[in-house]
Structures are given as structure tokens and as C-alpha cells.
């Protein structure tokens, strides 16, 4: 076999190269290459415990290349843009963006290729939980003072976001209720515009809420007509 291979081997290699070239030509002719642009939210990983980002990173725009048929079926969620925050320090940091693409797709460009991230230490505050009522009890019923367990929660996050929190609350739907309300409700956080709701976390994230709803006592409006006895002092008169 070796003797047969050595005979006219340049022509055999040339034939193999031509065959591979024809195969590649046919493959790309049927499914040519193309380009697409995607916008992808940036994810973070490996941020040290006790640290938190002062604001979430935004998005990156990527240009990718691949077979047109494959690119046409892709969506932004098929890619990942990640920054590795290992070694981040308190203050301003800059990290490169790494993009993970599906097999068969090549990333041509990433814009921006790196992002600035401000890192702060985690702070915490304790806040009372308010009850926000949705609706009113049925006619003839009224509610008493709500009970919450626990009545206060711990809110953690960057100091700037914590300072802009206005209240911590749960929403209780009592519309047309005729009996006691009891449920475990998620705790919500409200703050000034742009305070960073996605940067804070609440512990516990849900509280038990009990609202007594009792039947209202019968009532009636009664008009009282006083009987006037005697006369006012001289110079005075009863007007009404």
C-alpha cells in the first residue's frame, strides 16, 4: 500500500485538496455566511461576599458571523455577556466583557469591550413593614389593626440605594372580604426614582399577615332636636 501511495502522490494530494474545496464550496453555497448584531444584558460573577455593585451594568452590542440559516434562528438569549468581578475592590473598577456564543457562530466585535463598575460594601438597615390595602371589606364589615410576623425586616444593599428607600410594604387584597385575611405576602420596597430596586435585598423576603375583619355593629343616623328652655340674656337671640 505504501508503494502504491508513493506512486503519483502529488496528484493524489491535489485531488484530495480539490475534493475538499468542492465540498466547502457546495456547503457554503447552500448555506452562506452572514452577520447579525445583538444586544445582550451583562451578567456578573464571582463578586466577593460583603461587596455589592452600586449599579447594574447595562448591555453590550455584539456583531457575530456564521451560517445565515443558523443566525436567522438565534435570539439574544442564546448568547451570554459576562464580566468576572473576582478581585474587585471598593470603588471604581474596569473589567473586560466575555461573550459566550453558540457553536458555529464567531463573535467579530464587542461594544464596549470593557465596562466600568463601581463596587461598594454591603450595608443594612432595619425597617418596619407597612400594609397596603387593595379594596375594601364587604358592606357591613370592617377591619381591625393588622398583625405582621415579623413586623420589621432587614434591607441590604449599597448605601446610596438604602438612603433612597421610602417604605417597605406588603399588598393585601381584601376587596369584598367577609372574613379574616391571613396570608404570607412578599415584601416590596419603594424608593425615589432610580434608587436601585434591583440592588437591594430583603430578609425575610415574605412576612405573615393577619387582618381581622369583623361584622360591623348595626348603626343608624338619629337627628336630635333639642328643646329650648328659657330665654337668652337681653341683647342675645337664638339663631339656630
Amino acid at each position: 500500500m505504501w508503494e502504491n501511495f508513493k506512486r503519483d502522490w502529488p496528484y493524489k494530494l491535489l485531488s484530495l485538496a480539490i475534493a475538499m474545496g468542492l465540498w466547502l464550496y457546495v456547503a457554503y453555497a447552500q448555506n452562506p455566511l452572514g452577520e447579525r448584531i445583538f444586544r445582550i444584558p451583562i451578567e456578573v460573577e464571582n463578586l466577593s461576599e460583603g461587596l455589592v455593585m452600586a449599579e447594574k451594568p447595562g448591555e453590550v452590542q455584539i456583531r457575530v458571523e456564521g451560517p445565515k440559516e443558523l443566525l436567522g434562528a438565534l435570539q439574544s438569549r442564546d448568547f451570554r455577556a459576562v464580566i468576572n468581578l473576582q478581585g474587585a475592590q471598593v470603588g471604581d473598577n474596569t473589567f473586560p466583557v466575555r461573550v459566550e456564543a453558540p457553536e458555529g457562530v464567531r463573535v467579530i466585535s464587542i461594544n464596549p469591550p470593557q465596562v466600568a463598575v463601581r463596587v461598594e460594601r454591603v450595608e443594612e438597615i432595619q425597617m418596619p413593614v407597612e400594609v397596603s390595602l387593595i379594596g375594601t371589606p364587604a358592606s357591613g364589615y370592617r377591619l381591625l389593626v393588622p398583625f405582621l410576623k415579623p413586623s420589621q425586616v432587614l434591607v441590604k444593599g449599597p448605601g446610596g440605594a438604602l438612603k433612597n428607600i421610602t417604605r417597605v410594604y406588603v399588598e393585601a387584597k381584601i376587596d369584598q372580604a367577609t372574613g379574616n385575611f391571613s396570608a404570607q405576602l412578599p415584601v416590596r420596597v419603594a424608593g425615589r426614582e432610580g434608587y436601585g430596586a434591583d440592588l437591594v435585598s430583603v430578609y425575610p423576603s415574605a412576612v405573615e399577615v393577619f387582618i381581622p375583619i369583623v361584622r360591623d355593629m348595626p348603626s343608624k343616623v338619629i337627628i336630635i332636636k333639642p328643646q329650648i328652655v328659657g330665654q337668652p340674656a337681653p341683647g342675645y337671640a337664638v339663631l339656630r
Side-chain angles (χ1 to χ4, degrees):
M1 292 181 61
W2 177 245
E3 293 298 328
N4 291 334
F5 177 77
K6 290 193 299 181
R7 188 181 305 119
D8 300 328
W9 65 267
Y11 298 102
K12 294 178 180 178
L13 288 178
L14 179 61
S15 300
L16 179 61
I18 293 174
M20 293 182 63
L22 288 174
W23 180 83
L24 291 173
Y25 172 79
V26 172
Y28 284 112
Q30 292 179 347
N31 192 9
L33 292 177
E35 293 184 6
R36 280 192 66 185
I37 295 176
F38 295 90
R39 295 197 66 85
I40 310 170
I42 299 176
E43 304 176 23
V44 299
E45 60 184 17
N46 296 331
L47 182 60
S48 300
E49 186 176 356
L51 298 179
V52 65
M53 292 183 299
E55 60 182 14
K56 291 286 187 180
E59 297 180 328
V60 292
Q61 177 178 288
I62 64 171
R63 182 186 295 272
V64 298
E65 180 186 64
K68 285 187 176 180
E69 185 176 349
L70 174 59
L71 292 181
L74 293 178
Q75 299 182 20
S76 295
R77 65 171 177 264
D78 296 314
F79 300 84
R80 285 188 71 213
V82 184
I83 55 175
N84 187 350
L85 299 186
Q86 186 174 12
Q89 302 294 325
V90 174
D92 295 325
N93 302 260
T94 302
F95 296 95
V97 181
R98 184 183 81 250
V99 174
E100 300 174 2
E103 186 176 356
V105 176
R106 184 171 70 94
V107 179
I108 300 175
S109 65
I110 304 172
N111 185 29
Q114 57 186 17
V115 294
V117 177
R118 183 167 183 80
V119 175
E120 297 182 8
R121 296 195 184 278
V122 175
E123 298 182 19
E124 59 184 43
I125 56 174
Q126 188 167 319
M127 297 190 67
V129 182
E130 303 175 6
V131 179
S132 179
L133 301 175
I134 300 178
T136 56
S139 178
Y141 291 83
R142 62 188 177 94
L143 55 89
L144 304 180
V145 178
F147 295 92
L148 290 85
K149 182 181 179 182
S151 60
Q152 296 195 0
V153 294
L154 203 62
V155 185
K156 295 184 178 182
L162 297 183
K163 291 177 182 177
N164 287 316
I165 293 177
T166 55
R167 67 184 183 121
V168 177
Y169 66 100
V170 294
E171 292 183 339
K173 298 181 180 180
I174 59 167
D175 195 41
Q176 300 302 307
T178 58
N180 296 334
F181 176 91
S182 180
Q184 189 171 39
L185 301 177
V187 180
R188 304 176 185 272
V189 180
R192 299 180 182 88
E193 184 177 358
Y195 81 98
D198 54 347
L199 300 175
V200 301
S201 52
V202 181
Y203 302 90
S205 59
V207 298
E208 297 179 14
V209 180
F210 177 75
I211 305 176
I213 299 177
V214 298
R215 188 180 294 274
D216 205 356
M217 297 296 291
S219 61
K220 182 179 180 180
V221 177
I222 302 175
I223 298 177
I224 301 176
K225 297 181 179 180
Q227 294 182 354
I228 298 176
V229 179
Q231 296 295 326
Y236 291 86
V238 176
L239 300 181
R240 63 179 182 178

